[in-house]
Structures are given as C-alpha cells and as structure tokens.
Amino acid sequence: MWDRSRAYPQGMSIPDHELRRLATAVTGRDTASLVLEPPSRDEQERIAALVVRRAAGEPLQYLEGSVQFGPIEVLVDHRALIPRPETERVWEEAVASLREAGPGTVIVDLGTGSGALALALKHSFPEAQVYGIDISEEALALAEENAAQSGLDVTFLHGDLFEPLPKRLMGRIDLVVANPPYVTEEEFASLPPDVCDHEPRAALVSGPNGTEIVDRIADEGFWSVGIGGWIVCEIGATQGEAAHEAFFAFDREVRPDLAGRDRVLVARRGASCCV
Ligand SMILES: C[S@@+](CC[C@H](N)C(=O)[O-])C[C@H]1O[C@@H](n2cnc3c(N)ncnc32)[C@H](O)[C@@H]1O
C-alpha cells in the first residue's frame, strides 16, 4: 500500500486529490493501480518534487503538463494560458454556428495561446483552412508543439490580431473565434496567485477597461469576415452590455453560461444569428 504522507516533503501539504493527479501524471497510472502497486522510489522522488512546486503556488495543470480541451489533449506550460472549461463553450458555440465546412472555409483563432481553440476547430472541421494568431512567439512555439502532437494541420502566424493574415483572406473569413485578454489592470492584481504569478500577464490583461481587445475585434472583424460570417468571442462576466454595443454593426447575441453569467458573444455579419 502506498503511504501518501511520504510524498509530502518538509511537512508540506497539498489537497489529496491534487496529489493523486500529480502521481498519475508522473506514473501514468490511476489511483486504484497506485494503491495496489505503489510508485517506485524514483517516481516518489519526482512526485515529491512536484508537490514542492505545487505548494509554492505553481498551477496544477502546468505540473501535470496537459489538459483536455473538447476533443483534444493540449500540452500546457508557462508559455501560454491554461485553456479553461469556459473556453470550451466558445468552441461549442462556434461549431453550432458554422455547422459545416469545406476546403474553402476559413477559420481564424485570434490570440490562440496553446492553440487549443484552433486545433479543436480543425478536429471538428477537418477540411477547413484554420489559422491561429498570437502576439506571443513563446505561445506560438507551444501551439506548434500541440499541432505536431495532435497531427492537426493548423497554420500559426505571429502578429497583432488580423494583421499577419494573407491580404487575400480579408473580407472572406467564415468564422473568427477568440478568447482575448479581457481583465482590467486593476482586476489582475486581485486574481489568485497561481494565476497572476504564473500565467502570462499579456494573456490576461487587456488594458485599463478590460474591453480594449474585444472592441478592436469588433471593429477590425467587420472588415475581415465575409457576409454571413461569424465571430464567437469569450467575454468577462460583466462585459455583456459593452460587448453587445461594440458589435453594433453585426446581428449579435450575448449568451450566458449555466450560472447565468455573460460569457460568449456570438455575432454574424449581415444575416440574423439570433432567434
Ligand atoms: C486569454 S489568452 C487565450 C489563449 C487561448 N486562446 C485559450 O483560450 O486558452 C489570450 C491570448 O491572446 C494573445 N494576445 C494578446 N494580445 C494580442 C494581440 N493584440 N494580437 C494577437 N494575440 C494577442 C496572448 O498572447 C494570449 O495568448
């Protein structure tokens, strides 16, 4: 029987369910198997090293090394934001909006980070041309690793929002998705330490208002998507009204999560998206 208390060096402690997840990440075995056959001495040392880092505040997912996002597994580390369950909602809304895609369909993920949304959409629409864009070269290096690991063919480009896309695509994009930075500078300081001390600040903070990047996506997106094209954008829970206003040139709707908080803006250029 595995004596889990030995995994806690120098009297450190983390919640037991986190210890079990770290043990599984190190050994590749589930808890039942670990109870029957304890981790080896070497594995116990590696688990203990992760416990020290977790107790110091590093996010559990960075220590595990990957997360499930919709249909795909995504490698995660300090180079990019950890994909959140809320953002799976963006993927779901995008799939439900676009419905089908052929070889001429163009999908763009703005602020792709680890590449999670772009790769999940390529998985859902294998024939589409999918682009992922980020201003962070470090994040894009991770996104490329994720594309290689999943075997999904996504083109990753470095730059500011729509700017690095080939000019021929302007005005003919079928779907834009984004989980942009939408935290204000003030809110950033009050985020939990495992977020604000470890995840990239530029992935979270938009500016003094929090809506700066969403506003730009609304303005620049109008000229980038084709007639009938979609924009599906994650927003902060208090930003529904501002986002609805920013997308005034589109047919649009703010959709709440199960708790009733505004989370996703679904917009369509020149055709009704909302019943
Ligand atoms: C909230 S993270 C989202 C990452 C990923 N899409 C996800 O949902 O897990 C926002 C991403 O936008 C990128 N970003 C911030 N400003 C940008 C800009 N002006 N143009 C392109 N990417 C930007 C950040 O580097 C970061 O990777």
Side-chain angles (χ1 to χ4, degrees):
M1 178 89 149
W2 178 31
D3 176 5
R4 290 209 281 270
S5 64
R6 286 172 183 247
Y8 294 121
Q10 300 143 30
M12 280 176 184
S13 99
I14 61 172
D16 202 46
H17 70 274
E18 293 192 357
L19 175 61
R20 280 189 253 121
R21 280 173 55 173
L22 292 176
T24 294
V26 166
T27 62
R29 293 191 286 129
D30 64 18
T31 304
S33 154
L34 288 167
V35 167
L36 294 173
E37 190 190 333
S40 67
R41 182 180 289 271
D42 170 63
E43 286 170 337
Q44 296 211 30
E45 278 170 17
R46 282 156 53 209
I47 294 165
L50 293 181
V51 168
V52 172
R53 289 168 62 187
R54 179 66 190 133
E58 249 183 271
L60 185 62
Q61 295 90 337
Y62 282 168
L63 299 174
E64 290 179 302
S66 67
V67 297
Q68 192 67 30
F69 184 85
I72 55 167
E73 193 187 2
V74 179
L75 302 172
V76 291
D77 63 32
H78 68 279
R79 290 174 288 177
L81 191 94
I82 299 160
R84 308 289 205 268
E86 298 91 288
T87 309
E88 288 178 313
R89 181 73 198 285
V90 174
W91 166 69
E92 287 170 13
E93 292 282 0
V95 170
S97 300
L98 191 61
R99 288 165 190 262
E100 56 187 27
T105 304
V106 177
I107 298 175
V108 176
D109 175 19
L110 297 174
T112 194
S114 62
L117 269 173
L119 292 164
L121 284 165
K122 181 67 183 180
H123 185 277
S124 302
F125 300 114
E127 291 192 15
Q129 302 163 47
V130 181
Y131 294 83
I133 296 170
D134 208 286
I135 206 152
S136 159
E137 291 194 69
E138 282 201 311
L140 287 174
L142 178 62
E144 293 281 8
E145 286 168 30
N146 275 314
Q149 147 161 298
S150 60
L152 292 163
D153 180 15
V154 168
T155 303
F156 290 108
L157 302 172
H158 176 241
D160 181 18
L161 296 187
F162 294 94
E163 175 268 324
L165 282 170
K167 295 296 164 256
R168 64 184 159 78
L169 297 184
M170 286 301 105
R172 56 154 303 223
I173 298 170
D174 298 284
L175 168 68
V176 171
V177 291
N179 171 21
Y182 53 73
V183 171
T184 68
E185 281 158 1
E186 202 180 329
E187 285 164 346
F188 179 74
S190 56
L191 291 175
D194 55 351
V195 178
C196 66
D197 292 347
H198 294 275
E199 295 192 82
R201 188 180 193 279
L204 293 157
V205 177
S206 165
N209 299 330
T211 55
E212 291 84 350
I213 307 258
V214 174
D215 290 348
R216 284 188 55 204
I217 291 171
D219 291 348
E220 296 171 33
F222 186 76
W223 304 108
S224 306
V225 298
I227 301 294
W230 298 88
I231 299 185
V232 180
C233 183
E234 184 166 328
I235 55 171
T238 60
Q239 294 171 344
E241 218 171 291
H244 193 266
E245 213 166 291
F247 280 82
F248 69 90
F250 295 77
D251 297 311
R252 76 280 195 211
E253 193 170 276
V254 174
R255 301 201 175 144
D257 62 15
L258 291 175
R261 291 169 308 188
D262 292 341
R263 294 307 315 196
V264 181
L265 183 289
V266 179
R268 193 171 197 196
R269 184 175 169 201
S272 181
C273 69
C274 315
V275 281

